[in-house]
Every structure is written in structure tokens, then in C-alpha cells.
């Protein structure tokens, strides 16, 4: 049953990642991967909130592992960083890496704090 819940969450998260990435990136005429940054920060916020909210293992599997796991993308983040470096945009690549990690941590912390505040 857990695998099915993960698959259902991923079936929603993956297309949402693609559509969000394309919608955000189409509004920016730059080499910077704004779409991937956006989905990764949103996914970090949601996962932080999920961890801070008292939910059962089924919800955690469907939303945490399935939905957030498919919404966020470390492989694309890595590829886009490499693409920036190979394209001669080393400073942009460094900014992308540092900004992504910092924004993801801030978003996860904020999501967790909001969820904890709402449950107390």
C-alpha cells in the first residue's frame, strides 16, 4: 500500500514540476535556471511543513516521498549547475548552488515553523 501511495503522490508531483518549471523559465530570458530553483524551494517549504505537521506514515509517504520527491529535482539541479559551468557562467553556477541550498534550507525551516505554530 505504501508504494501505491508514493506512486500516486509522484504522479501528481512530477507533472507539476515540469509545468511549473516551464511556466517560470518561460518568463525569464537568462541562463539562470529559475524554474528548477522555484520547484526546489517550493518542495522544501512543503516538506518542512509536512515534517512539522503531525501526520501519519501514509500521508508522509504520499506527500513527502511521493509528491515532494517528484516535485523537487536534485538531478536537474546538478545538471543545470554543470551546464552553467560548461557555458562559462561559473559565478552564476556558484550563485545558483549557494542560493539553492540557502533558499531550500530557509524554506524548509519556515514551513516547519509555520506548521508547528499552527498545531500548537
Amino acid at each position: 500500500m505504501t508504494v501505491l501511495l508514493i506512486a500516486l503522490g509522484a504522479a501528481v508531483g512530477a507533472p507539476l514540476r515540469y509545468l511549473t518549471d516551464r511556466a517560470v523559465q518561460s518568463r525569464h530570458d537568462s541562463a539562470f535556471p529559475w524554474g528548477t530553483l522555484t520547484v526546489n524551494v517550493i518542495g522544501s517549504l512543503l516538506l518542512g511543513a509536512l515534517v512539522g505537521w503531525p501526520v501519519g506514515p501514509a500521508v508522509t509517504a504520499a506527500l513527502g516521498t511521493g509528491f515532494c520527491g517528484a516535485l523537487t529535482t536534485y538531478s536537474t539541479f546538478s545538471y543545470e549547475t554543470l551546464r552553467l559551468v560548461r557555458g562559462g557562467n561559473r559565478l552564476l553556477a556558484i550563485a545558483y548552488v549557494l542560493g539553492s541550498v540557502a533558499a531550500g534550507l530557509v524554506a524548509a525551516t519556515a514551513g516547519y515553523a509555520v506548521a508547528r505554530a499552527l498545531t500548537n
Side-chain angles (χ1 to χ4, degrees), residues 70-93:
L71 178 66
T72 60
T73 173
Y74 191 77
S75 59
T76 303
F77 164 73
S78 300
Y79 164 75
E80 288 172 340
T81 302
L82 183 59
R83 183 179 49 81
L84 287 170
V85 170
R86 287 186 174 172
N89 296 309
R90 292 175 193 241
L91 289 177
L92 202 55

Side-chain angles (χ1 to χ4, degrees), residues 13 17 36 39-44 47 67-75:
R17 171 175 54 90
T36 301
V39 295
N40 285 343
V41 171
I42 291 170
S44 295
L47 190 56
F67 180 77
C68 289
L71 178 66
T72 60
T73 173
Y74 191 77
S75 59

Side-chain angles (χ1 to χ4, degrees), residues 3 13 20 22 27 36 63 69 72 76 78 85 103 113 116 118:
V3 172
T20 303
R22 294 296 85 210
R27 289 170 172 73
T36 301
L63 296 181
T72 60
T76 303
S78 300
V85 170
R116 295 301 298 166
L118 292 174

